[in-house]
Every structure is written in structure tokens, then in C-alpha cells.
Amino acid sequence: MRALVIEQFGVLPEVREVADPSCPPDGVVVRVGATGVCRSDWHAWQGHDDGVTLPHVPGHELAGTVVEVGPDVRAWSVGDVVTVPFVMACGACATCRGGDQQVCPHQTQPGFTQWGSFAELVALDHADTNLVRVPEGMTPVAAAALGCRFATAYRAVTVHGAVRAGHEVAVLGCGGVGLSAVMVAVAAGAHVVAVDPSPAARAAARAAGAHVTLDPRDDAPEVLAERLVEATGGGAHAALDALGSADTALTGVLALRRRGRHVQVGLLLGDDARTALPMDRVLAWELSVHGSHGMAAHEYPAMLAAIARGDLAPAMLVGRTIGLDDAPRALASLPSAATAGMTVVVP
């Protein structure tokens, strides 16, 4: 098969022929119909993830058709059109039995712990626990974003943020996960203020339903938080850091009203991994700070039902589709990409 292969961290990867993946006994091999280009893939390419070993094929947001099924699989057949959460759980441990497969301690992740979906074929393990059937009529391009950014945003907004009608919501960062969070929060009936320095990203946020968009300019976190408090009429019920930095995390907490919820969705890596937060404010105002790490396969039906009703439209968040040969440049340009919305590769 053809695949995008990282040979050295930080060096532009190349598309070349590699061996087809072997089918796990409890898994499947999927012919990739589409795969998203995510900032997490960029982190993998930069060597920021300890689970990545070289040579490596990135890619974890995918949809496609099952072409091979392992002997231990019971629920899936060749020809099924599927997607998968970026966390593939074991399905057997106490955490999984409790329904929290998204934080399974034995998880695997395509594109991180094993070769991923920037390829024509990808192997996925524990299929009966992790695969999700793509509804009839949903394109692979629309389905590809569900396993990471859209599903993560959906759970961040509905579960961790507990957003409901009449709430004020602040979304910091309007990349794929931020735009998804805007759409989900608006669908829940919230008033949404979205923040991003990119005019194109702010325009995309407005198209996704944001009621107010703010340019953070060069404001210090405390100053930007004050602007958000004003824009939300006294502070947000929920703030989502969809970028991932010490500054945006601090802004999110300071932008909350009393008993508000900060949800950390963007990765905090390197020097930001031990980010300091104003715990005096957290204590005195009874604020909540939540991490959000994807969504388990068994939680997909509610999200898919909202898509089927037309309440959510993940396809509109796709900014462009490209071929596999264009994926290396798309991956390398992620931090400075001018295109709003998600980029999806069609191998």
C-alpha cells in the first residue's frame, strides 16, 4: 500500500510503498476512505509523543470500509463502513467495564502507538469494542472527523461542560475541535463567544453559529478574560480551551462565572504540561476544571442521532480535501495554516 511515512521527527515525511498491515485476531483491516489532518498528528511528527517510534505512519481520524476481519471478531463483516474513536480500548478492564473506554489504561491509538490512517489501509484492534458504523448517507469525509475532533468536542460540551439552553459558553481556539465545540454548544441552545487570532477562523466560527467572535490581539490572559466576561454578560458557564497553551488555559478559568466549568481539550505539552491555574479562584468560586479525552464508541448514537436530525453538520467544518501526496505539506503547515476548518485526506 501507499502511506505517508515519518523517517525522522521534524523532517518532511514522504509518501511511499510499504507493506500492507496484518489483521489482528480481534481486529479488522480498513481501506481508508478519508482521514483528517489533526494538530495531534503534527505533534506526533515533531516527536512530542512518547508512544511514537520510527519509522511511523500517522493519522487517527478515519473512516473507511472493512476489507479483512480477524477470527475473534463477532460484530463486523467485510464491506461494513466504519469509523473509530482515536482511543481504541481493550474492552475488558475495570475502566472499560465502567463505560469509560476513552481513558482505558490499556488503550491503543492508530497513528501513535501503531501505524495510522495516512495510508490506503489501516489495522484496528479490539474491533467489537471500538468500531462505529457510519450511517447510510454520511460520506467518509464527514465521518473522518468524528473520531477525534468532533466527538471530543461533543463530549466536552455536553458531558464535561454540561452546556444547556441559555448558558454562556467561551471557546478559545477555532481550529477543528473549537469549531466543532461552537456548533455543538449552539445546537444545545447556548450563547457562544469564540476567540481566535485568525480572521478566517473567526469567520468559520460565525458560520458554525458563534454569536460573538473576538480577536485576542496581544492581550494578556487576564485582559482577554475580562473581555470574555463582558461578552458573556458576567462570565461563562463553560469555557473550552480548544488550543492548548498556558495562556489559553488561564484565560478560560478566569473567564468563568461562579461555579463555572473549564474544559481542557487542547493538548498541553512540553513546558505547558504543568500549567499553573488560579486555584484560589477555583476554590473561592467553586469552579470545576475538567480534562476531555475523546469519546467512547458506545456514546456515539446520541451524536449520530443529532447529525441525522440536522442539528449538527460536521461536514460543513471541512475546509478542504486533498490527496495523499499533498498530506506531507498539509501536516507540516498545520501551525500556520491559513485555511479555516478541517483538512481531510482522501487516499
Side-chain angles (χ1 to χ4, degrees), residues 154-194:
Y154 182 85
R155 192 166 186 272
V157 171
T158 61
V159 175
H160 295 301
V163 173
R164 59 180 184 268
H167 274 190
E168 296 283 343
V169 175
V171 177
L172 295 153
C174 296
V177 69
L179 292 175
S180 301
V182 168
M183 180 181 288
V184 174
V186 169
H191 177 265
V192 179
V193 180

Side-chain angles (χ1 to χ4, degrees), residues 34 73 89 129 279 303 339:
V73 175
T129 295
M279 297 306 292
M303 179 181 69
T339 302

Side-chain angles (χ1 to χ4, degrees), residues 208-223:
H211 302 88
V212 179
T213 58
L214 296 180
D215 181 352
R217 303 190 294 257
D218 294 321
D219 287 348
E222 295 82 0
V223 175

